[in-house]
Amino acid sequence: MRLPPSVGLLKTSLLDYPERVASVIFFPGCNMRCPYCHNSGLVLGDNEGLIDRDEVIQFLKHRAPLLGGVVISGGEPLLFEGLGEFIRTIRDETGLKIKLDSNGLMTDRLKMLLETEAPDFIAMDIKTSVSNLSVLGISSNASTSLKKSARMIIDSAIPAQFRTTVHPLLVKREWVSEIAGFIRGCSDYVLNPFKPGNCLDPAYNEHEPASRLYMEEIRDLFLAEGIPCRIPSI
């Protein structure tokens, strides 16, 4: 499919685009099954609450004077071949800066996007270690794509952020060096604590949030690896 007919919309966000007030567009569908995912409806193809894509464009045109940018998130936006076309339409219609959120699995489409309708900012999620990728519903072979995508982003001139949701089962102390290898050379790595509630895997709703102490330990291990790591949310 080139583009989804309907998308989710968060009209105003102060958190999703660094230093900009933004609207967030959520594309349905995903090629991962992260157990802690809070967008489970989108991941599983639930269309409830989605808005016609053309209506979203009209909203952005009206709201553009009050916004600094648009975030295209998901799900996974790179599942759709027409993502570059969509970015171009938003730019042409609104003049707004575009941020893309991606899990990095679709390396070829990311490469094509960077060479054509490159976003103004990219955020890539690093979920867990290579040895633990099966918990996301993907093969360990996917590590090749993830590493290529991360390197492509780091080597580009586009402002970028890497980020990880920290759950002690998915980000263990002994895995930090391996995860750091994905993003060595990045300029900004953000850790956010896992929080239970509306998780794709209901069992995770019973798990405890990552503690402040654990978050700080993981941050300090990444800093020792030379990764510019921070925790903005605690």
Side-chain angles (χ1 to χ4, degrees):
M1 185 183 297
R2 289 197 59 76
L3 284 170
S6 301
V7 295
L9 176 66
L10 176 62
K11 293 181 177 180
T12 305
S13 170
L14 302 178
L15 301 175
D16 290 276
Y17 198 138
E19 300 181 359
R20 290 181 182 271
V21 178
S23 288
V24 184
I25 299 171
F26 298 95
F27 277 33
C30 192
N31 46 7
M32 286 187 179
R33 292 294 182 267
C34 305
Y36 55 74
C37 179
H38 290 173
N39 287 337
S40 55
L42 280 173
V43 168
L44 299 175
D46 184 359
N47 292 326
E48 184 177 355
L50 300 188
I51 302 170
D52 182 85
R53 194 178 69 244
D54 292 335
E55 289 184 28
V56 171
I57 295 294
Q58 292 304 311
F59 167 81
L60 293 175
K61 287 172 65 176
H62 176 74
R63 182 64 69 89
L66 303 177
L67 295 173
V70 176
V71 179
I72 301 176
S73 189
E76 174 50 53
L78 284 167
L79 286 173
F80 296 91
E81 295 178 70
L83 179 59
E85 170 190 327
F86 188 65
I87 289 175
R88 183 167 60 252
T89 298
I90 292 176
R91 280 203 179 110
D92 290 347
E93 297 286 347
T94 70
L96 291 168
K97 299 288 187 180
I98 309 293
K99 172 177 174 276
L100 173 67
D101 293 345
S102 178
N103 61 31
L105 268 182
M106 305 196 72
T107 305
D108 290 343
R109 287 192 182 171
L110 176 62
K111 182 176 186 293
M112 185 178 299
L113 190 70
L114 295 181
E115 292 173 348
T116 54
E117 301 296 335
D120 302 285
F121 194 105
I122 300 178
M124 179 176 162
D125 291 309
I126 305 297
K127 308 289 186 176
T128 187
S129 71
V130 170
S131 56
N132 200 40
L133 291 179
S134 62
V135 77
L136 310 176
I138 58 176
S139 164
S140 60
N141 294 333
S143 64
T144 300
S145 294
L146 297 174
K147 290 176 181 178
K148 284 183 178 178
S149 292
R151 184 51 45 196
M152 209 183 304
I153 292 169
I154 291 169
D155 290 345
S156 77
I158 299 171
Q161 180 184 91
F162 293 86
R163 57 197 187 182
T164 294
T165 297
V166 177
H167 186 298
L169 295 178
L170 300 178
V171 184
K172 296 183 178 181
R173 297 174 183 86
E174 59 267 31
W175 292 346
V176 165
S177 291
E178 182 183 313
I179 296 172
F182 271 62
I183 55 173
R184 201 166 302 284
C186 75
S187 60
D188 188 26
Y189 182 42
V190 175
L191 302 180
N192 291 302
F194 159 78
K195 295 179 181 178
N198 196 38
C199 295
L200 181 62
D201 181 346
Y204 274 64
N205 291 325
E206 307 302 320
H207 293 192
E208 292 294 321
S211 70
R212 182 185 183 93
L213 177 60
Y214 190 77
M215 294 288 295
E216 291 175 344
E217 287 180 9
I218 295 297
R219 177 200 60 197
D220 291 346
L221 288 170
F222 276 111
L223 289 172
E225 290 280 343
I227 305 297
C229 185
R230 60 191 178 93
I231 308 170
S233 53
I234 63 172

